Amino acid sequence: MSGNILIIDDEVKLLKLLGMILSQENFNVKEASTARSALTMLEQYDFDVVLSDVRLPDAFGVELVKSIKTKYPHLEIILMTAFGNITDAVQAMKNGAYDYLVKGDDNEKIIPLVYKALEKAKDNKSRIAQKSGAQKGFNQIIGSSSAILQAKKLAEKVALTDATVLLTGETGTGKEVFANAIHEGSERKKHNFVAINCSAFSKEILESELFGHKQGAFTGAVKDKKGLIEEANGGTLFLDEIGEMPVELQAKLLRVLETKEFIKMGETKVSRSDFRLIAATNRNLEEEIRQGHFREDLYFRLNVFEITLPPLRERKEDLKLLAKNFIEIFSHKLHLTSIEVAPDYYKTLEKNDWKGNIRELRNTIERSLILMNNETLDTESLPHYSGKTASENDSFSIKSLEKEHIQKVLQYTKGNKAEAARLLEIGIATLYRKLEEYELR
């Protein structure tokens, strides 16, 4: 079976060794030592499988998986991790990775795993080509609570316009689902819906991804590349976690929004793109403005029409519907049939306060299906939920709790700020801002 393989690793010796091993199997192999050069190669060639190190000099492999799978859904990605970083690999699999290898393992494990990933990639291509009738638009939004119906009603109204939309709410509340629904409900639905998480990349890579670059703009730029702004021409650009965007790029984005004009990296010619912008954040942008981390003029340009998505704990009447939907999705994915649900299963789910919202529920249901016995979902397959909820008279403010949590994570990582930022699921720049704010330096 022939296939096109991309290997990403900044350890040159390992990169060359893997390249040699896979080339001997008659695979077409390309090598990259940085995320930036890898993303450029993905633009140029049609790959089937990617082998990537978890730790790259300019990106975190776990987040890179999510970005690559979003743009190239047929690709299968195998993560390579050092011993002791298994947690990273497991998270990467949740983000869409096929599997992971621990560096130093017997090289004989690599070939069979690549063949299996290649078969999956071929199946993905066929499935994507044949896929039709998938749930789109506002049918994706599940729930009958007043909170979600109000948000849905606002989204349906704004979809008919070309207004910029700002989606706010906690992590995991379904902001990308809403963004996609707004696009599908608009006149732009025949054109591209392109999405990017602003917290997943360094400033340089994010700039290249958004604005594109000209051949020779930097080392590894061997071909002109379209940016997402250009890809979204006629359609919708969704910028997730916009509060994490570096201030320098915020100024460039503001200009694009005001003029519809942009300049690719390494180019002097002005290009145009007519796109609709939907932005999302779990941060309080007004607070970010006060701290000097977000431009006030950009905020006013973004906040034309704000929709706040409710956390799951405020719409628990929707929990059963959402859980049933995920049971159906993962039963199909895991090739399970005739699943039975114990009477107390849904009641137990209601005991949790769901800090991770719908995303946490999705992960819980998937784990529960894997752990269940006799094809029956019961409380034994769920984490232990105490049912304890936060008291209104809690003496700790949100800031106090956040400060304490950051301190605990830093103690756990023995002061490693990069690792702490990863565990906290925030950008490294955001962590440094928090350390300064709470005087933890």
Side-chain angles (χ1 to χ4, degrees):
M1 182 188 296
S2 62
N4 300 320
I5 315 294
L6 173 62
I7 310 171
I8 316 170
D9 201 311
D10 60 334
E11 293 183 35
V12 178
K13 287 184 179 179
L14 181 60
L15 190 66
K16 298 300 179 187
L17 175 62
L18 287 173
M20 181 185 71
I21 291 171
L22 293 171
S23 294
Q24 288 175 350
E25 294 290 316
N26 293 321
F27 292 129
N28 300 314
V29 180
K30 298 288 182 185
E31 300 167 2
S33 57
T34 64
R36 170 180 269 183
S37 57
L39 290 169
T40 301
M41 286 186 179
L42 286 164
E43 289 281 337
Q44 297 167 7
Y45 305 103
D46 182 21
F47 290 104
D48 300 300
V49 177
V50 174
L51 277 84
S52 176
D53 188 11
V54 168
R55 304 290 177 175
L56 296 168
D58 56 347
F60 181 37
V62 174
E63 292 299 329
L64 190 63
V65 168
K66 200 173 186 179
S67 178
I68 291 175
K69 287 292 286 185
T70 298
K71 201 167 184 181
Y72 309 98
H74 72 279
L75 271 176
E76 290 301 335
I77 305 166
I78 299 170
L79 264 288
M80 299 179 292
T81 180
F83 181 76
N85 286 333
I86 304 300
T87 304
D88 290 346
V90 171
Q91 182 59 49
M93 290 180 70
K94 288 183 179 179
N95 285 358
Y98 178 74
D99 210 333
Y100 67 90
L101 287 167
V102 177
K103 289 184 178 182
D105 272 4
D106 192 333
N107 288 331
E108 290 181 3
K109 293 181 181 179
I110 296 171
I111 302 302
L113 189 56
V114 170
Y115 271 113
K116 287 180 182 177
L118 187 58
E119 285 180 10
K120 181 85 183 324
K122 301 287 186 189
D123 288 343
N124 292 344
K125 281 186 176 180
S126 299
R127 180 170 46 79
I128 290 168
Q130 296 170 3
K131 191 175 181 181
S132 62
Q135 263 198 343
K136 285 189 174 182
F138 291 100
N139 291 329
Q140 300 175 81
I141 300 169
I142 297 170
S144 58
S145 64
S146 58
I148 201 66
L149 289 178
Q150 176 63 18
K152 186 176 177 180
K153 183 179 178 181
L154 291 172
E156 287 172 336
K157 284 188 175 182
V158 79
L160 302 175
T161 74
D162 225 16
T164 300
V165 179
L166 178 63
L167 299 170
T168 58
E170 296 176 9
T171 297
T173 48
K175 292 188 280 292
E176 186 163 353
V177 172
F178 262 80
N180 190 269
I182 291 168
H183 170 74
E184 289 294 331
S186 74
E187 293 182 358
R188 294 178 176 267
K189 66 180 179 181
K190 293 181 181 178
H191 298 278
N192 291 339
F193 173 83
V194 292
I196 189 169
N197 187 320
C198 297
S199 68
F201 302 105
S202 64
K203 173 186 171 294
E204 292 74 19
I205 291 186
L206 182 58
E207 184 173 0
S208 173
E209 285 292 295
L210 285 174
F211 296 93
H213 63 247
K214 188 174 174 61
Q215 180 180 347
F218 50 81
T219 304
V222 297
K223 184 181 178 182
D224 289 359
K225 174 191 171 181
K226 261 188 178 183
L228 296 182
I229 287 173
E230 189 174 357
E231 290 278 3
N233 188 27
T236 303
L237 175 63
F238 175 56
L239 298 181
D240 199 5
E241 302 297 352
I242 194 150
E244 302 283 350
M245 179 178 281
V247 174
E248 302 93 322
L249 289 188
Q250 291 177 28
K252 292 187 177 183
L253 176 62
L254 179 61
R255 174 172 172 75
V256 178
L257 293 176
E258 290 178 341
T259 66
K260 301 292 184 184
E261 295 179 347
F262 66 97
I263 300 174
K264 290 183 179 181
M265 293 176 69
E267 194 168 49
T268 55
K269 185 181 74 173
V270 174
S271 301
R272 290 187 60 82
S273 179
D274 172 30
F275 63 91
R276 193 242 190 101
L277 180 70
I278 302 177
T281 182
N282 60 5
R283 300 196 169 280
N284 183 333
L285 292 186
E286 292 180 346
E287 181 62 29
E288 295 293 309
I289 290 167
R290 282 192 286 273
Q291 295 182 15
H293 306 315
F294 202 83
R295 292 180 63 105
E296 187 174 33
D297 48 6
L298 177 58
Y299 172 69
F300 289 128
R301 187 66 181 78
L302 293 175
N303 196 21
V304 176
F305 196 93
E306 181 178 351
I307 302 174
T308 300
L309 303 189
L312 187 52
R313 63 182 173 275
E314 292 179 7
R315 47 178 293 219
K316 282 199 173 179
E317 57 264 57
D318 294 334
L319 196 145
K320 189 173 181 178
L321 281 174
L322 288 163
K324 283 184 174 180
N325 179 61
F326 291 137
I327 289 170
E328 183 180 342
I329 289 171
F330 290 117
S331 293
H332 180 74
K333 182 179 176 182
L334 297 169
H335 306 291
L336 299 169
T337 57
S338 305
I339 301 297
E340 292 187 15
V341 182
D344 56 352
Y345 183 78
Y346 295 118
K347 290 181 181 179
T348 304
L349 289 177
E350 290 177 3
K351 292 180 180 179
N352 191 21
D353 59 3
W354 300 108
K355 293 178 181 177
N357 294 295
I358 300 171
R359 186 178 298 141
E360 183 186 354
L361 176 64
R362 178 188 176 95
N363 293 343
T364 298
I365 298 297
E366 183 177 16
R367 178 181 181 274
S368 186
L369 282 163
I370 293 169
L371 292 176
M372 71 176 180
N373 295 313
N374 303 319
E375 295 197 331
T376 301
L377 287 172
D378 54 26
T379 57
E380 293 300 313
S381 63
L382 290 171
H384 176 69
Y385 299 132
S386 66
K388 182 181 177 181
T389 56
S391 167
E392 290 181 6
N393 297 320
D394 194 338
S395 60
F396 290 104
S397 69
I398 293 298
K399 285 194 172 186
S400 298
L401 292 170
E402 184 177 55
K403 178 180 179 180
E404 183 181 357
H405 184 58
I406 290 172
Q407 284 176 312
K408 286 180 179 178
V409 173
L410 283 169
Q411 288 171 1
Y412 175 78
T413 63
K414 296 181 172 62
N416 185 324
K417 294 182 179 62
E419 182 70 5
R422 184 188 68 76
L423 293 171
L424 290 163
E425 296 184 355
I426 60 176
I428 188 69
T430 302
L431 176 59
Y432 276 105
R433 292 203 301 266
K434 294 291 184 185
L435 293 177
E436 185 174 347
E437 179 184 350
Y438 298 134
E439 299 179 347
L440 294 174
R441 291 191 173 187

